[in-house]
Amino acid sequence: MTESSASSAPLPRPGDFAVVQMRGGAGRLIRVGQWLNGDGFADFEHAFILVGGDQVVEAEPGGAHQAPLAEYDGRSIRWSSGLIKLTNDQRVAIVAAARGYLNVPYSFLDYAALAAHRFHLPGSSLLKGYVADTRHQICSQLVDQCYHDAGVRLFDDGRWPGYVTPADLAGLLGGAHTTA
């Protein structure tokens, strides 16, 4: 497990989520998608949930899967630890939900649907249903859905279910402790 850069910051626990910077072409595409969605060029393009044993569940092209946290060594990671208050039961439910979404396909089209909504393009009800459909997800939707499944609302601003980007999650964390 990576250590916090601030000595008083809590260490990540199962059920906590994080946002991380992505490298390469995929990171650039996500930054563009977030910009189209009105997030600007955010520094965080990916999100995942810690499920224990230094393992995370994340949605990526190819589908949601479990992976070692060590894949993100050396990158800036912002954790929800201590900022999003969770009970032990909620943590267990979040981890169970995350594991329940393993193999759910990834959806680059969700970025297009989110941007279409932002620009008030016709077909809002169809887009809303598409974005809310949990049979395909982007990484930030996976995080939001797992928390929702555990009875934890990350956003209370009237947004559509699933209408969340990695930049939105990073915004919730503000200047949270970051590990590298």
Side-chain angles (χ1 to χ4, degrees):
M1 177 83 51
T2 56
E3 289 189 35
S4 170
S5 60
S7 61
S8 63
L11 289 174
R13 295 177 48 202
D16 287 338
F17 74 86
V19 291
V20 63
Q21 296 173 329
M22 294 298 293
R23 300 177 180 143
R28 284 190 292 278
L29 281 173
I30 293 167
R31 278 190 295 281
V32 168
Q34 291 185 136
W35 177 80
L36 287 171
N37 192 47
D39 294 328
F41 285 102
D43 290 334
F44 296 95
E45 301 84 26
H46 187 54
F48 51 75
I49 294 175
L50 184 66
V51 294
D54 289 339
Q55 295 286 304
V56 300
V57 170
E58 59 189 348
E60 291 188 330
H65 65 275
Q66 189 166 312
L69 177 59
E71 286 184 7
Y72 298 101
D73 284 353
R75 296 189 200 186
S76 181
I77 302 173
R78 187 172 289 171
W79 288 98
S80 66
S81 311
L83 296 172
I84 309 294
K85 304 295 182 199
L86 300 171
T87 67
N88 286 335
D89 288 344
Q90 289 169 325
R91 289 180 180 283
V92 168
I94 291 165
V95 169
R99 289 189 170 131
Y101 288 112
L102 291 173
N103 301 314
V104 167
Y106 191 79
S107 178
F108 279 112
L109 289 176
D110 278 23
Y111 276 109
L114 295 172
H117 173 65
R118 165 140 170 74
F119 291 114
H120 307 288
L121 297 178
S124 284
S125 62
L126 293 174
L127 291 175
K128 184 176 182 180
Y130 182 80
V131 170
D133 186 348
T134 59
R135 290 178 289 150
H136 52 79
Q137 296 176 327
I138 60 175
C139 59
S140 49
Q141 290 170 324
L142 175 70
V143 169
D144 189 49
Q145 187 65 51
C146 291
Y147 272 66
H148 183 267
D149 291 353
V152 179
R153 290 242 183 245
L154 293 175
F155 299 94
D156 200 16
D157 58 5
R159 70 181 59 211
W160 290 351
Y163 187 80
V164 58
T165 65
D168 291 329
L169 293 173
L172 283 178
L173 304 179
H177 65 281
T178 304
T179 60

